[in-house]
């Protein structure tokens, strides 16, 4: 089996065995309510409903006219109970629409859309109207990604099926349980990109599934669906080495296409568009069923979780509505709650936050798993440099940041850091590298904003 990879990276314990054999189970919140963030990717939305309104599942309840935005839909049918701020992923508080279910199964979906007969504009509009965003965690509006500038010639759609974060297995389960939908969604993405004037004539868009070797057992199912759809010349599978962070966009492009994305550039600059497994499934639903992105599957795992599992819930379901019911935790063992995986996820103060479009997992860690150790002085060993998948020099960045030399830190690649945590994982001195880099980036952005404000004042 030929495998592709990138330079750098690390090999943390995978911990996939905890939930890899658990089928995705549909669960409804026990409180019969959902708390739906008004914005889940892109520009801020404005609520279109008010307290007391009765809404149907799939109805648009918040949107923005900004191009870089994605509307939000009711994930259940019921009555708008409240519109208030609530804890959301990232640890901040944001406006949310709280809907109390009324038991109705009535929906307000879009009509199905034939990808073969629709125009590029209609196809992109469908992706946007369905509220589809990147479901790997970034939540970038997908219609924007599928509409690259005319000077960017796209030749490949890379399906990110690496799922390199420890503990998370929802993509693996999706490949096993919904292979047909995965292939269908990937095919639709290829066809959307081929509808551009540049690609209509050449018709050279190829779909490549980037599959880590620890998920090689899913390949026969995918290949069977590719054959059924007569897409053997259109979609293929490329195996990538099981290594973290193999799922990073730049690393996938580097590994499979042997092309390095320049600093400050995007995959489109290298002729590729990258989509997540959940995202292409949502695209399939949007075209075949007219179904907006109103539910999502995710993994619940970690050493403090007694019953690791994979769940599918309505968007806006509070984690606290699932804890103790859909899954159980070990008494007194939870030291940290992370929305996402342990490497790039967000630490949360409580379980009172909703599952959003970009929630790929919830990880409950024990004290032993959190590595809460004392930070020691850097010993200049260079391990962080060797581990960095972006080929940066974290040690020099941190040294510059400590000296308040932002320009120097930027020269060493501060703004190119993807915050994967590889450097911190291998650091023998336990330096809080990622936290310091995040603070450094924040200082750069604040300085830039201050400069713009001064310019406007003049």
């Amino acid at each position: 089996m030929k495998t592709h990879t990138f330079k750098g990276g690390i090999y943390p314990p995978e911990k996939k065995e905890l939930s890899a054999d658990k089928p995705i189970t549909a669960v409804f919140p026990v409180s019969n309510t959902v708390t739906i963030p008004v914005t889940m990717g892109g520009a801020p939305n404005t609520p279109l409903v008010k307290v007391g309104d009765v809404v149907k599942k799939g109805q648009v309840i918040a949107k923005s006219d900004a191009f870089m935005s994605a509307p939000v839909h009711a994930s259940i049918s019921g009555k708008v109970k409240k519109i208030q701020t609530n804890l959301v992923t990232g640890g901040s508080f944001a406006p949310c629409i709280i809907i109390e279910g009324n038991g109705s199964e009535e929906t307000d979906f879009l009509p199905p859309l034939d990808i073969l007969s629709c125009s590029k504009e209609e196809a992109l509009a469908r992706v946007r109207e369905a509220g589809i965003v990147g479901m790997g965690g970034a939540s970038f509006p997908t219609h924007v990604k599928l509409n690259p500038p005319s000077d960017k010639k796209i030749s490949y759609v890379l399906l990110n099926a690496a799922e390199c974060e420890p503990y998370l297995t929802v993509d693996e389960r999706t490949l096993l349980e919904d292979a047909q939908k995965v292939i269908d969604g990937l095919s639709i993405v290829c066809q959307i990109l081929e509808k551009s004037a540049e690609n209509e004539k050449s018709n050279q868009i190829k779909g490549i599934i980037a599959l880590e070797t620890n998920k090689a057992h899913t390949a026969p199912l995918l290949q069977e669906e590719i054959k059924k759809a007569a897409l053997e010349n259109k979609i293929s599978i490329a195996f990538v080495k099981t290594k973290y962070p193999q799922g990073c966009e730049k690393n996938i492009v580097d590994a499979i296409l042997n092309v390095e994305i320049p600093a400050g550039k995007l995959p489109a600059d290298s002729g590729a568009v990258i989509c997540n497994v959940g995202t292409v499934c949502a695209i399939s639903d949007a075209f075949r069923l007219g179904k907006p992105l109103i539910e999502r599957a995710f993994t619940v795992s970690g050493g403090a979780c007694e019953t690791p599992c994979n769940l599918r819930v309505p968007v806006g379901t509070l984690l606290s509505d699932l804890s103790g019911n859909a899954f159980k935790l070990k008494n007194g063992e939870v030291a940290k709650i992370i929305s996402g995986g342990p490497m790039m996820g967000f630490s949360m103060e409580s379980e009172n936050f909703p599952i959003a479009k970009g929630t790929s997992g919830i990880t409950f860690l024990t004290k032993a798993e959190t590595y809460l150790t004392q930070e020691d002085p850097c010993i200049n060993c260079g391990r962080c440099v060797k581990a960095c998948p972006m080929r940066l020099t974290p040690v020099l960045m941190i040294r510059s940041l400590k000296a308040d030399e932002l320009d120097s830190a930027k020269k060493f690649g501060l703004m190119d850091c993807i915050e994967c945590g590889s450097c911190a994982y291998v650091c023998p001195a336990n330096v809080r590298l990622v936290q310091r880099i995040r603070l450094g980036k924040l200082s750069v952005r604040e300085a830039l904003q201050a400069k713009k404000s001064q310019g406007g004042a003049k």
Side-chain angles (χ1 to χ4, degrees):
M1 181 195 307
K2 181 181 179 181
T3 59
H4 307 264
T5 192
F6 62 96
K7 292 183 179 179
I10 56 175
Y11 300 88
E14 295 177 34
K15 302 291 186 178
K16 306 281 189 180
E17 69 281 358
L18 297 177
S19 59
D21 63 343
K22 304 298 191 300
I24 299 172
T25 305
V27 178
F28 196 81
V30 294
S31 67
N32 196 36
T33 62
V34 289
T35 301
I36 304 176
V38 169
T39 303
M40 285 181 278
N45 289 324
T46 301
L48 302 181
V49 294
K50 60 183 184 299
V51 174
D53 285 353
V54 175
V55 297
K56 300 175 185 177
K57 182 162 67 172
Q59 177 181 332
V60 179
I61 57 175
K63 66 180 296 186
S64 167
D65 292 331
F67 174 67
M68 189 75 71
S69 66
V72 169
H73 306 74
S75 58
I76 64 173
S77 296
K79 181 180 288 187
V80 178
K81 192 176 180 182
K82 296 178 183 177
I83 300 178
Q84 64 182 30
T85 57
N86 197 87
L87 177 67
V88 295
T89 295
S92 61
F93 285 78
C96 295
I97 298 171
I98 301 174
I99 301 173
E100 183 176 31
N102 59 12
S104 171
E105 291 300 319
E106 195 172 4
T107 62
D108 186 17
F109 289 0
L110 298 159
L113 181 63
D114 181 11
I115 184 60
L116 294 176
S117 60
C118 71
S119 67
K120 174 190 174 184
E121 289 72 26
E122 289 172 326
L124 290 171
R126 171 52 55 97
V127 175
R128 181 179 185 181
E129 289 166 2
I132 298 174
V133 299
M135 295 175 68
S139 298
F140 187 82
T142 303
H143 71 278
V144 179
K145 179 182 286 189
L146 300 186
N147 189 27
S150 58
D151 62 330
K152 311 295 182 188
K153 180 173 172 56
I154 305 301
S155 300
Y156 300 97
V157 176
L158 305 182
L159 179 63
N160 181 2
E163 195 170 38
C164 58
E165 274 266 18
Y167 294 105
L168 304 189
T169 58
V170 67
D171 285 354
E172 179 180 348
R173 291 308 312 176
T174 301
L175 296 175
L176 291 169
E177 299 175 32
D178 276 318
Q180 186 276 331
K181 187 181 290 186
V182 171
I183 299 304
D184 183 56
L186 177 55
S187 174
I188 291 173
V189 170
C190 290
Q191 291 177 76
I192 292 174
L193 290 163
E194 285 173 353
K195 288 177 180 292
S196 67
E198 285 294 320
N199 289 305
E200 270 184 353
K201 297 178 182 178
S202 58
N203 198 33
Q204 291 297 307
I205 302 291
K206 300 288 185 181
I208 302 177
I209 303 172
L211 194 64
E212 271 195 330
T213 51
N214 63 355
K215 286 175 275 294
H217 57 283
T218 66
L221 288 172
L222 295 169
Q223 289 167 337
E224 181 181 350
E225 294 301 332
I226 291 171
K227 185 177 181 179
K228 283 182 182 179
L231 293 170
E232 294 97 327
N233 295 325
K234 195 72 174 174
I235 296 176
S236 60
I237 297 173
F239 291 101
V240 292
K241 191 173 183 178
T242 300
K243 180 169 64 170
Y244 181 84
Q246 185 67 78
C248 167
E249 287 190 337
K250 291 190 175 185
N251 294 339
I252 287 180
V253 172
D254 184 4
I256 295 179
L257 302 182
N258 197 27
V259 175
E260 184 174 341
I261 300 175
K265 299 295 183 179
L266 298 171
D269 292 287
S270 299
V273 165
I274 301 177
C275 287
N276 171 265
V277 170
T279 305
V280 296
C281 287
I283 289 173
S284 176
D285 283 342
F287 280 81
R288 307 307 183 191
L289 306 176
K291 182 180 179 180
L293 180 47
I294 56 174
E295 62 181 21
R296 85 144 296 152
F298 64 101
T299 299
V300 181
S301 191
C305 183
E306 186 175 320
T307 56
C309 55
N310 294 289
L311 305 175
R312 178 178 286 109
V313 302
V315 167
T317 298
L318 289 176
L319 181 62
S320 54
D321 257 359
L322 303 172
S323 182
N325 299 290
F327 62 87
K328 298 185 184 300
L329 301 175
K330 297 177 181 177
N331 289 333
E333 290 291 311
V334 180
K336 198 171 189 178
I337 305 171
I338 298 177
S339 179
M343 300 300 294
M344 295 187 73
F346 296 92
S347 180
M348 304 299 293
E349 64 183 49
S350 74
E351 297 178 357
N352 296 317
F353 66 94
I355 303 302
K357 294 179 182 181
T359 306
S360 56
I362 303 293
T363 312
F364 293 93
L365 300 180
T366 63
K367 185 176 181 180
E369 292 174 308
T370 57
Y371 304 107
L372 297 176
T373 54
Q374 181 68 36
E375 182 181 60
D376 294 321
C378 172
I379 60 174
N380 299 310
C381 66
R383 292 186 190 179
C384 59
V385 179
K386 185 178 180 180
C388 180
M390 295 293 101
R391 305 176 194 176
L392 307 177
T393 52
V395 60
L396 298 182
M397 278 190 267
I398 299 303
R399 189 178 298 170
S400 298
L401 290 173
K402 285 184 175 181
D404 290 326
E405 296 175 356
L406 288 181
D407 288 339
S408 177
K410 286 194 290 183
K411 288 180 181 178
F412 290 124
L414 177 66
M415 305 310 289
D416 293 314
C417 172
I418 61 172
E419 301 174 21
C420 67
S422 296
C423 56
Y425 184 84
V426 300
C427 180
N430 301 305
V431 176
R432 307 291 189 261
L433 288 155
V434 177
Q435 290 90 330
R436 293 179 182 277
I437 287 170
R438 283 176 178 168
L439 290 173
K441 287 183 176 181
L442 179 61
S443 296
V444 170
R445 295 187 185 107
E446 289 177 343
L448 181 61
Q449 187 60 43
K451 188 175 180 179
K452 287 182 178 179
S453 298
Q454 291 175 359
K458 293 179 181 180

